Amino acid sequence: MGEAQQIPLLAVSACVWSGDRVLMVERAKPPVGIWVLPGGHVDWGETLIDAAHRELMEETGVTADLSHFVGLYDVIIRDDAGAATRHYAIACYGGLWTGGEAVAASDAGQARWMTPDEVAQVRHPETVAAAIARMGGILKL
């Protein structure tokens, strides 16, 4: 294994709601089988909000009004000894679905609209649950 990453990677995610359901994607790349909000890396020279819109479209074919900043979340991956090997700082934006049919594309294995109760039944990071709860509160769902 190579040298551990030394600075956090900047990423974005999109917490998109349609009615009482939030859009989730199942990862097709490691860690495979984890359900997350659509998102990914920010490209050089790209604004965070532009990256969130791009990643949402690339992974699901969906568009949304991402007018709410949901929060900034850390995802730190550690090796068996507890040393950090990857660190992502993820800026999450949220809002309401505006168009498109949710279909898995890019590095998503599946794309599905889920109620918060359904999200609780699948494997997902704690940060995803926190973002969903916060966005649900913003939207008063």
Side-chain angles (χ1 to χ4, degrees):
M1 185 158 149
E3 185 177 321
Q5 167 194 335
Q6 296 298 307
I7 59 172
L9 298 172
L10 183 59
V12 293
S13 64
C15 189
V16 178
W17 289 78
S18 177
D20 66 346
R21 297 180 183 274
V22 64
L23 182 59
M24 299 286 290
V25 294
E26 184 182 33
R27 291 186 53 86
K29 293 182 179 179
V32 175
I34 301 292
W35 287 86
V36 296
L37 298 170
H41 294 292
V42 178
D43 291 337
W44 181 260
E46 184 177 40
T47 67
L48 296 173
I49 193 68
D50 287 346
H53 282 285
R54 176 184 53 77
E55 286 286 347
L56 177 62
M57 176 56 76
E58 285 177 3
E59 287 193 356
T60 67
V62 165
T63 59
D65 173 15
L66 299 177
S67 57
H68 299 280
F69 178 68
V70 179
L72 187 61
Y73 300 92
D74 288 297
V75 173
I76 301 172
I77 299 168
R78 299 184 183 278
D79 64 17
D80 292 339
T85 58
R86 302 291 269 175
H87 181 176
Y88 298 92
I90 303 173
C92 182
Y93 292 87
L96 299 175
W97 170 85
T98 58
E101 195 68 35
V103 177
S106 181
D107 59 356
Q110 294 183 62
R112 196 164 78 198
W113 294 98
M114 297 182 179
T115 66
D117 287 341
E118 290 170 324
V119 173
Q121 301 303 312
V122 298
R123 289 180 51 212
H124 64 281
E126 290 178 25
T127 54
V128 168
I132 290 169
R134 181 165 167 79
M135 192 62 215
I138 290 169
L139 295 173
K140 297 180 178 27
L141 297 173

